[in-house]
Every structure is written in structure tokens, then in C-alpha cells.
Amino acid sequence: MSEAAASRTVPDPSEISQPFWDATRERRLVLQRCDACASLVWYPRAFCPGCLSEDLHWDEVSGLGTVYAVSVHHRAPAPELTAMVPYALALVDLDDGPRLMTNVVGCDVADVHVGQRVRTTWEPLEDGRHLLLFEPEPSGS
């Protein structure tokens, strides 16, 4: 595990988010889908924010997306995050629909830009789960 991973605060799964975290053990990105309106739902919750239906199931999605916005941080907001700087905090629009807040890794943070194509990558956690991150999609993909 990287020094950055050891510094991250990772939430404990709740009853609602447990299927998401279970899928990360296999490096699969799953999101809730509403059975009533077919919308994808992010972040995990008990009901669809669009139609308020409680009929949700988990679907695997592609994990491909586009950087919508990015901010490069050169100062840690807390001492335990010092090992992570500099880092790129980004909003990524998934091809499948939802927008996620995440980090873009695997490149120079100065190269992360709006409109950049990205794909999921996974950082191992001590308990066997993986943290969802994004990396640049290789050219020609």
C-alpha cells in the first residue's frame, strides 16, 4: 500500500454502501440504478433522488469518463494528508451518467485538464477493499 493510501481517510461501509465497497474488492465499479426511472444514482443512498423510489439495484458501469473540473492542491488541508501533495482533485463525468468527485493519479498533476478522458484505477486498502481513483485513458483508446 502506498504512503498516500495509508494517509487517506476512508469511510466505513454503511448498510446502503456495502455493495459498492464489496465490489471494490474485485476492482469493479458498481452504482445504484433506480428500477422506477432507470437513473443511475451516485452516491449510495436509500432512494432515487430523481423520483424518490426506494427500488434500487446495483449495476456495473464502464468506469470511463471525462474530467469536468479539476483543482490541483499543493498544500495539505490536514497534516495526515501531507504525503499526498501535490494532488489533482477532480469532478469526473462518467460516460454512464453520474458525476463523481475523485483524484486523478498516474500522471503529472499539472497535466490533468478539463475534457481529459479518464478511466478507473484502484488503490488497495489494508482490509482488501480498493479506493476508486481515476487515471488518464491511454491515447488511442
Side-chain angles (χ1 to χ4, degrees):
M1 179 170 43
S2 71
E3 185 177 344
S7 301
R8 293 185 193 274
T9 301
V10 180
D12 290 326
S14 67
E15 183 179 332
I16 293 171
S17 69
Q18 188 68 52
F20 168 81
W21 288 108
D22 288 345
T24 72
R25 293 177 185 281
E26 301 169 355
R27 297 182 175 117
R28 293 184 309 112
L29 177 56
V30 297
L31 303 179
Q32 291 173 301
R33 184 175 300 277
C34 177
D35 291 330
C37 71
S39 295
L40 280 171
V41 176
W42 179 256
Y43 57 90
R45 57 188 94 192
F47 59 89
C48 174
C51 72
L52 304 181
S53 171
E54 295 179 8
D55 296 324
L56 302 170
H57 68 274
W58 292 90
D59 270 351
E60 188 167 354
V61 296
S62 71
L64 300 173
T66 303
V67 174
Y68 174 82
V70 62
S71 177
V72 175
H73 295 250
H74 295 276
R75 297 182 81 186
E80 60 271 15
L81 300 176
T82 301
M84 292 178 55
V85 294
Y87 61 90
L89 180 64
L91 293 174
V92 171
D93 286 339
L94 292 179
D95 290 354
D96 300 290
R99 179 176 291 159
L100 288 80
M101 183 177 287
T102 185
N103 293 118
V104 177
V105 299
C107 64
D108 187 320
V109 294
D111 293 335
V112 180
H113 59 275
V114 171
Q116 182 175 21
R117 293 290 298 162
V118 292
R119 66 180 181 189
T120 55
T121 189
W122 302 94
E123 186 172 291
L125 300 172
E126 290 178 349
D127 64 1
R129 295 180 298 159
H130 289 82
L131 187 62
L132 171 64
L133 301 170
F134 284 80
E135 65 185 1
E137 200 173 23
S139 299
S141 293

